[in-house]
Amino acid sequence: PGSSGSSRRSPVVGLTASARAGLAETMRSTPENWRAADDYLADTLVGHDPALEATLSAQRAAGLPDIEVAPVSGKLLNLLVRISGARRVLEIGTLGGYSTIWMARAVGEHGRVVTVEAEADNAAIARTSIDAAGVGDRVDIRIGRAADVLPTLVGGFDLVFIDADKESNTVYLDWAARLGHPGTVVVLDNIGREGEIARADSTDPMVIGTRDALRMLGEDPRFDATALQTVGLKGWDGVAIALVV
């Protein structure tokens, strides 16, 4: 024992110059290393899950796009539902049901997830996977454009997860506030956009929609929010988390 930190040594101490150079190369911030770190975190903190892996396999077999949340992000959603004590969850953008299953597990046997999906084929694939995962009785899939479906829902949601077309993010945030209550948690996915959010001159509709949503979270008095950049399996992206106040 010695002074604080004295027992820890840098991993490069005692290495040759060439070894240090090799270590630096392997530790570079690259997409390959992001994915490797994400895989490590998923293996360590999420683990093997046959139902979720079958959900992804069904999604791939059906030709759905590879745009579901990463395993560590699915676990984050599950934890946010549990930490907040949410029993009624609204999801905007079902895709193949992967994130839906994560949240349905978290609401408990008396909880409910209402998930909105624009494409009927996607909804059918999701329904099969959700039922196979054993949480079908907790999930209500609504088919249609979210802008049309959201006005038909009864409010009182405790958590809202938004992962749909980015161009409509502000519409979805408005409905999240309307259908929520003080204390509702709002999670807005894919806010990093490979760093393009910093470009005020971007002409990409998804970047524009994301910037508009972040501005709304910062200026609309109904929300108190923050956002984090992320790198990993899904590249350079991020997530915003807000509270309805």
Side-chain angles (χ1 to χ4, degrees):
S3 61
S4 176
S6 63
S7 62
R8 298 181 180 179
R9 300 186 64 184
S10 166
V12 301
V13 171
L15 295 181
T16 65
S18 60
R20 286 198 297 271
L23 180 62
E25 181 65 25
T26 61
M27 294 175 66
R28 286 179 57 202
S29 181
T30 65
E32 286 185 354
N33 285 342
W34 303 343
R35 287 190 292 271
D38 228 31
D39 287 343
Y40 165 75
L41 293 172
D43 288 344
T44 304
L45 300 174
V46 179
H48 178 60
D49 192 308
L52 287 170
E53 290 162 12
T55 297
L56 293 180
S57 294
Q59 182 174 308
R60 303 288 183 268
L64 271 62
D66 182 18
I67 55 173
E68 77 288 336
V69 300
V72 290
S73 297
K75 183 67 174 288
L76 175 63
L77 290 171
N78 179 281
L79 289 171
L80 287 173
V81 172
R82 290 157 59 193
I83 290 167
S84 65
R87 289 296 173 262
R88 292 193 72 218
V89 170
L90 172 62
E91 178 181 47
I92 304 173
T94 315
L95 194 63
Y98 183 77
S99 53
T100 318
I101 293 169
W102 272 113
M103 293 186 290
R105 288 174 171 178
V107 297
E109 60 180 332
H110 300 299
R112 194 76 170 168
V113 176
V114 176
T115 182
V116 183
E117 173 55 47
E119 302 294 335
D121 289 345
N122 292 358
I125 294 163
R127 170 51 69 191
T128 299
S129 293
I130 290 165
D131 290 347
V135 291
D137 59 336
R138 306 177 187 180
V139 178
D140 178 6
I141 302 179
R142 303 292 181 93
I143 302 172
R145 294 179 62 252
D148 298 327
V149 173
L150 293 172
T152 71
L153 300 181
V154 176
F157 290 100
D158 306 310
L159 184 142
V160 181
F161 176 48
I162 301 171
D163 189 13
D165 60 296
K166 311 313 170 189
E167 297 88 339
S168 301
N169 271 342
T170 54
V171 174
Y172 303 150
L173 285 173
D174 178 59
W175 278 106
R178 294 194 202 189
L179 294 170
H181 54 76
T184 292
V185 177
V186 180
V187 182
L188 178 66
D189 203 16
N190 305 129
I191 61 93
R193 313 308 311 172
E194 299 287 335
E196 289 294 297
I197 53 169
R199 288 188 52 192
D201 62 345
S202 176
T203 58
D204 184 332
M206 291 190 289
V207 174
I208 294 170
T210 301
R211 284 174 56 90
D212 288 346
L214 292 169
R215 186 178 305 109
M216 182 176 181
L217 287 175
E219 297 176 355
D220 191 316
R222 296 176 294 177
F223 299 106
D224 192 11
T226 191
L228 300 171
Q229 297 184 80
T230 60
V231 294
L233 184 65
K234 300 297 180 176
W236 180 9
D237 209 343
V239 62
I241 300 176
L243 200 65
V244 175
V245 296

